Amino acid sequence: MSKTFKDLELNKQLVTAVEELGYTEPTEIQEKAIPLIMAGHDVLGIAQTGTGKTAAYLLPVLMKIKYAQGSQARALVLAPTRELVMQIHQAAVELGKYTDLRMVALYGGLGPKTQIENLKQGVDLIVATPGRFLDLYRMGEIPVKGLNYLVLDEADKMMDMGFMPQIRKILEVIPRKRKNLLFSATFQPRVEALSEEFLEAPLKIEITPSATTAATVEQAVYRLPNFKTKINLLGYLFENTAIQRAIIFCRTKTVADNVFKFLERKVVGAKNIRILHANKGQNTRINSIEDFKSGEVQVLVATDVAARGIDVSGVSHVINFDVPLIYEDYVHRIGRTGRARAEGVAWTFILKHEEYHFGKIEALIRTQIPELEIPSGVKIEETPFEENQEMLKAIDNQRKKEDPTFQGAFHEKKAKNMKSTSKAKPSAKRRR
Ligand code: AMP
């Protein structure tokens, strides 16, 4: 039996927030790291993005610092890029929603005024890039004596980006007596050396990418331009292929609701379909699963999170309407088909901003999934302006995450225009 968040002895405020985010059960790194951090150990976590590592350290740290206290921060998370700092800060705000903890994000690329004001109002947890943290510390804006939790997230990347001198400096000025957590996607000798230097009797947790997908499952992807075309393709596939029992995975409740409504009304009829997501009551959810398991209904639409841990196997088709963000979920989902030598089919629908995540999945399973052509009977819709902007924004963020010197597509355009007048040098501005 896998653990629940309650088993991890988190307090009610945190459990409620986790439930609201729709996390039904802890991921592997959360299950392993949370009890160790709660017990007061230094932890070295080797885990990639997409494993749930952020919540794995934030939850126990928030639990430990518990409620707003004094004016000085008690926990500091250092991360390599401004985008990552913003993401971690956002996660902390969401997870800490039912606490009164004050979280401040510090990063470069803009003036420090607002950040200083935020600090002055009192803070419990700081998420920062090393450079900006040090700048503000030197300006006398960050009292550090209260810090007793330090997290280095994506430590390998911070080293790659040459942040080691700043990190060393920060280690010199913060209290010696503190808990340290170090997360890194890789465990190279440099990371090992850093962990020896900075962690005290650490316990190491390693999340090894789980293996391969079943050979009896035929996997394929469809590359599509927008949401509406995904819907059209889904309808087409139901009408033109023999789908006996399918689970359709969607990233959010809204998407799941839309997919469900479309199939229910236009394609399979109410008797043949159920939906499963965190907003549905426990009974509805159990009934949905039972109806599907018994074979009474043909299709189950589920959000990524609601579907974690449910045990339904022997389906003929798994359709990933969206690419999962917990990359291992891809493997687990595919495992639901193709059991006991039965052939299974797994299709994944990919929009352009999902390529990045799918690439990571392919790396994880060390397989390149073949692409199928969109059947000619599927209507290709125009992409609405807003949807396109959203996708481009997401792609920009992904590129920034991979390459912190990347200034974004709009900057690229500007730089190009500038070239004709002045010989635009590559931007010398240092990112923090
Ligand atoms: P991370 O590896 O921390 O970047 O997390 C990847 C994604 O997984 C984020 O979108 C999180 O919101 C989500 N996530 C984290 N923990 C869980 C969980 N226990 N169940 C479902 N999703 C999660």
Side-chain angles (χ1 to χ4, degrees):
M1 217 16 226
S2 54
K3 283 202 168 126
T4 66
F5 280 100
K6 278 199 196 97
D7 297 335
L8 294 173
E9 295 177 16
L10 296 168
N11 62 26
K12 189 142 179 286
Q13 286 89 329
L14 294 174
V15 171
T16 313
V18 159
E19 277 170 5
E20 263 182 32
L21 284 171
Y23 303 173
T24 45
E25 61 165 22
T27 62
E28 188 183 348
I29 183 113
Q30 291 163 1
E31 196 171 318
K32 289 184 174 160
I34 293 173
L36 299 182
I37 302 173
M38 299 271 266
H41 293 287
D42 275 13
V43 168
L44 167 64
I46 307 298
Q48 297 168 352
T49 307
T51 51
K53 69 178 165 66
T54 317
Y57 63 77
L58 281 179
L59 283 168
V61 168
L62 296 178
M63 173 81 186
K64 286 287 183 182
I65 60 176
K66 219 159 183 174
Y67 38 74
Q69 200 179 307
S71 60
Q72 302 194 7
R74 286 166 293 140
L76 169 64
V77 180
L78 292 175
T81 64
R82 141 203 180 125
E83 284 66 36
L84 192 60
V85 164
M86 286 158 73
Q87 276 176 34
I88 298 168
H89 176 258
Q90 178 66 25
V93 168
E94 283 170 4
L95 293 169
K97 187 173 168 195
Y98 294 103
T99 70
D100 60 354
L101 289 166
R102 298 152 302 173
M103 338 276 186
V104 172
L106 308 176
Y107 46 82
L110 76 179
K113 202 166 151 243
T114 317
Q115 294 173 5
I116 292 173
E117 273 163 25
N118 291 341
L119 287 169
K120 286 214 160 81
Q121 284 167 18
V123 53
D124 301 292
L125 174 121
I126 295 177
V127 187
T129 51
R132 178 51 66 102
F133 181 87
L134 212 51
D135 286 350
L136 293 182
Y137 168 76
R138 287 185 173 134
M139 288 163 70
E141 299 295 349
I142 311 179
V144 293
K145 294 291 169 245
L147 286 173
N148 44 33
Y149 278 90
L150 175 63
V151 184
L152 298 188
D153 196 356
E154 301 208 356
D156 46 354
K157 198 151 181 184
M158 288 204 275
M159 295 173 111
D160 290 343
M161 289 170 58
F163 278 133
M164 244 4 260
Q166 281 102 323
I167 292 174
R168 285 231 163 75
K169 191 80 209 146
I170 294 171
L171 292 177
E172 272 170 33
V173 301
I174 64 178
R176 283 231 171 139
K177 210 170 153 331
R178 56 164 199 266
K179 303 290 178 210
N180 301 293
L181 311 170
L182 189 153
F183 286 82
S184 171
T186 55
F187 191 55
Q188 320 145 351
R190 294 187 303 153
V191 176
E192 192 172 355
L194 176 70
S195 73
E196 276 164 16
E197 175 181 337
F198 135 94
L199 301 176
E200 222 165 278
L203 297 175
K204 183 174 160 202
I205 301 169
E206 193 158 2
I207 304 302
T208 39
S210 77
T212 44
T213 43
T216 49
V217 182
E218 195 186 305
Q219 303 171 62
V221 302
Y222 286 100
R223 295 196 156 80
L224 301 144
N226 49 46
F227 175 82
K228 278 197 82 178
T229 313
K230 277 188 176 180
I231 288 279
N232 293 349
L233 174 63
L234 189 65
Y236 178 93
L237 292 172
F238 268 93
E239 278 159 0
N240 294 283
T241 42
I243 297 180
Q244 295 93 37
R245 269 154 61 74
I247 307 187
I248 303 170
F249 291 100
C250 307
R251 190 137 80 215
T252 66
K253 282 177 256 192
T254 320
V255 172
D257 280 332
N258 285 332
V259 166
F260 173 77
K261 274 185 216 145
F262 166 74
L263 288 176
E264 181 194 28
R265 287 183 198 158
K266 302 253 170 80
V267 187
V268 297
K271 269 203 297 212
N272 287 319
I273 186 163
R274 296 287 181 275
I275 184 165
L276 188 68
H277 66 51
N279 267 13
K280 305 282 166 193
Q282 186 68 9
N283 281 344
T284 318
R285 287 168 59 180
I286 292 171
N287 289 340
S288 294
I289 296 172
E290 288 309 315
D291 292 348
F292 183 71
K293 264 189 183 170
S294 69
E296 213 170 287
V297 301
Q298 178 197 3
V299 187
L300 183 66
V301 179
T303 55
D304 287 338
V305 287
R308 304 195 93 243
I310 63 161
D311 178 29
V312 181
S313 56
V315 301
S316 65
H317 289 68
V318 163
I319 302 174
N320 294 310
F321 192 83
D322 303 300
V323 175
L325 289 185
I326 299 261
Y327 305 137
E328 302 234 327
D329 278 353
Y330 181 85
V331 182
H332 298 150
R333 289 179 193 180
I334 301 306
R336 296 173 197 285
T337 85
R339 293 252 164 120
R341 269 177 268 128
E343 296 275 308
V345 174
W347 289 317
T348 303
F349 294 3
I350 307 180
L351 299 183
K352 61 184 171 194
H353 69 298
E354 296 177 301
E355 284 298 346
Y356 171 83
H357 300 292
F358 199 74
K360 302 248 173 187
I361 290 171
E362 288 186 320
L364 175 77
I365 59 176
R366 295 180 290 275
T367 312
Q368 205 173 357
I369 311 294
E371 178 177 359
L372 294 176
E373 246 179 69
I374 305 174
S376 56
V378 175
K379 182 160 185 249
I380 311 282
E381 309 277 351
E382 285 282 320
T383 308
F385 179 76
E386 278 84 27
E387 188 181 357
N388 197 40
Q389 289 297 99
E390 284 299 313
M391 291 194 281
L392 291 177
K393 217 163 87 192
I395 292 171
D396 252 22
N397 285 337
Q398 292 155 5
R399 288 181 64 179
K400 281 183 200 157
K401 219 173 145 190
E402 291 295 314
D403 170 15
T405 58
F406 174 70
Q407 298 275 319
F410 299 110
H411 283 270
E412 244 174 27
K413 241 184 244 154
K414 251 196 226 157
K416 257 187 223 149
N417 293 341
M418 274 165 58
K419 253 185 200 157
S420 52
T421 49
S422 64
K423 278 206 183 96
K425 281 186 277 184
S427 166
K429 201 172 83 186
R430 196 156 55 106
R431 273 295 187 123
R432 296 196 171 113

